[in-house]
């Protein structure tokens, strides 16, 4: 099966910005882009412009998105597809064959939150492949220090040392590699009020564990500059701060029956200021 990046399109400005990010990611990885428009069939034309206009925009959303991206990225191979039916199950099915599924979310300026819609949340919670959420207004220069001529900002990995996942680690290192960007690995932990039976300092234990988990990946990706960061406190707060100077944030999601987003994952995808890759793992 041909490797590819998939972007979900619904005609909204946020989905178009997400599709443009997906196009850039496809070019970075040398992959084609699949554009997917998943929606229930629009109603029949009534010949009343005020009623037909929304349905017509729905019908033409995919073609307009493909045309816009082909002008912006003339060397990119783009394949548009319409999938009738409810968006969540259709996008979940599309994600199964994709390297990454990219979806849009409304964003606000400053330190305000994403507005993540029910479709994006449902797909992120249930997808078997990585899902990247991209805010409306995300621009190519936002991935760099000042302009697209500058190197990429770091990729940030929020790492859970209690459940380190090869899938999450590989995605983060690979994302940094294709961008020639540094990788900042962030682990947060809460200070226990119960005294430890170990004579070692808890922070030293965490630091050794983090170094041990990263060692084989440093060996596999020797050209990546890796920065390890340990913080006391809640993960969401420190990941939000890290996102202010990041081109991409990578976090894991443990797969569970019925699909569920943990508190930290939910907080991160609603608040961080850069695109967020949510990588499912066992």
């Amino acid at each position: 099966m041909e490797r590819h990046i998939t972007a979900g399109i619904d005609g909204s400005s946020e989905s178009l910005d997400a599709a443009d990010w997906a196009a850039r990611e496809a070019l970075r990885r040398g992959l084609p882009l699949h554009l997917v428009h998943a929606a229930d069939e629009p109603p029949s034309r009534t010949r009343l412009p005020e009623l037909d206009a929304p349905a017509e925009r729905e019908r033409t959303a995919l073609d307009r998105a493909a045309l816009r991206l082909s002008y912006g990225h003339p060397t990119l191979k783009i394949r548009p597809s319409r999938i009738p039916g409810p968006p969540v199950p259709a996008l979940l099915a599309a994600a199964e064959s994709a390297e990454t599924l990219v979806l849009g979310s409304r964003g606000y300026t400053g330190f305000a939150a994403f507005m993540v819609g029910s479709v994006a949340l449902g797909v992120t919670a249930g997808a078997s492949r990585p899902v990247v959420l991209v805010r409306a207004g995300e621009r190519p220069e936002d991935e760099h220090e000042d302009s697209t001529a500058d190197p990429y900002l770091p990729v940030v990995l929020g790492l859970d040392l209690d459940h380190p996942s090869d899938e999450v680690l590989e995605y983060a290192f690979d994302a940094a590699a294709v961008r020639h960007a540094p990788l900042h690995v962030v682990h947060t932990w809460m200070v226990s009020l119960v005294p430890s039976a170990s004579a070692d300092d808890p922070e030293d234990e965490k630091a050794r564990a983090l170094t041990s988990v990263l060692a084989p990946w440093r060996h596999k990706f020797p050209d990546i500059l890796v920065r390890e960061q340990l913080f006391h406190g809640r993960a969401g707060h420190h990941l939000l701060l890290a996102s202010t100077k990041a081109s991409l944030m990578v976090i894991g999601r443990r797969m569970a029956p019925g699909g569920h987003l943990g508190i930290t994952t939910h907080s991160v995808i609603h608040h961080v200021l850069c695109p967020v890759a949510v990588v499912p793992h066992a």
Side-chain angles (χ1 to χ4, degrees):
M1 182 178 294
E2 181 187 55
R3 297 170 59 218
H4 59 272
I5 303 294
T6 295
I9 289 292
D10 62 9
S12 66
S13 61
E14 54 266 32
S15 78
L16 292 175
D17 290 335
D20 191 68
W21 187 94
R24 301 196 303 272
E25 183 72 359
L27 287 170
R28 281 188 286 262
R29 295 177 178 273
L31 299 177
L33 175 66
H34 287 189
L35 290 180
V36 175
H37 182 211
D40 292 317
E41 290 294 336
S44 302
R45 290 181 173 85
T46 66
R47 297 185 179 180
L48 297 175
E50 64 274 17
L51 297 180
D52 288 341
E56 187 61 27
R57 286 196 297 269
E58 183 85 358
R59 292 186 183 96
T60 61
L62 183 65
D63 296 332
R64 288 186 287 111
L67 185 61
R68 169 177 160 172
L69 291 173
S70 66
Y71 278 123
H73 309 281
T75 63
L76 179 63
K77 180 181 177 182
I78 301 173
R79 191 182 83 184
S81 300
R82 288 183 176 84
I83 305 178
V88 171
L91 289 169
L92 287 174
E96 290 182 1
S97 61
E99 290 279 303
T100 297
L101 173 66
V102 183
L103 300 174
S105 295
R106 292 188 182 93
Y108 301 97
T109 57
F111 282 84
F114 273 150
M115 182 185 293
V116 183
S118 59
V119 170
L121 283 175
V123 174
T124 304
S128 60
R129 300 291 298 158
V131 176
V132 174
L133 298 174
V134 179
R135 291 197 313 171
E138 182 74 21
R139 304 166 301 170
E141 55 266 35
D142 294 334
E143 301 179 308
H144 305 266
E145 189 66 42
D146 290 309
S147 72
T148 54
D150 292 328
Y152 280 91
L153 291 167
V155 173
V156 174
L157 166 61
L159 183 61
D160 180 0
L161 282 178
D162 294 328
H163 304 283
S165 160
D166 285 346
E167 293 93 339
V168 178
L169 285 158
E170 183 172 26
Y171 192 96
F173 271 85
D174 192 50
V178 298
R179 291 165 172 77
H180 303 287
L183 177 64
H184 291 181
V185 183
V186 176
H187 174 70
T188 63
W189 58 291
M190 302 295 290
V191 178
S192 176
L193 299 178
V194 179
S196 172
S198 173
D200 293 335
D201 181 89
E203 188 163 358
D204 289 341
E205 289 183 354
K206 292 286 186 183
R208 286 195 296 272
L210 182 57
T211 299
S212 176
V213 167
L214 294 177
W217 296 98
R218 288 179 186 268
H219 179 74
K220 185 175 181 179
F221 293 88
D223 296 332
I224 295 178
L225 176 63
V226 181
R227 178 184 176 191
E228 302 174 18
Q229 297 177 287
L230 285 172
F231 296 106
H232 299 160
R234 298 191 178 279
H237 169 72
H238 291 290
L239 292 175
L240 170 59
L241 293 178
S243 75
T244 62
K245 288 293 184 179
S247 59
L248 177 69
M249 177 162 289
V250 180
I251 58 174
R253 174 185 64 81
R254 297 190 72 186
M255 290 189 289
H260 176 70
L261 294 176
I263 294 174
T264 298
T265 303
H266 207 278
S267 173
V268 168
I269 66 176
H270 277 84
H271 293 92
V272 298
L273 303 177
C274 64
V276 184
V278 182
V279 182
H281 63 92

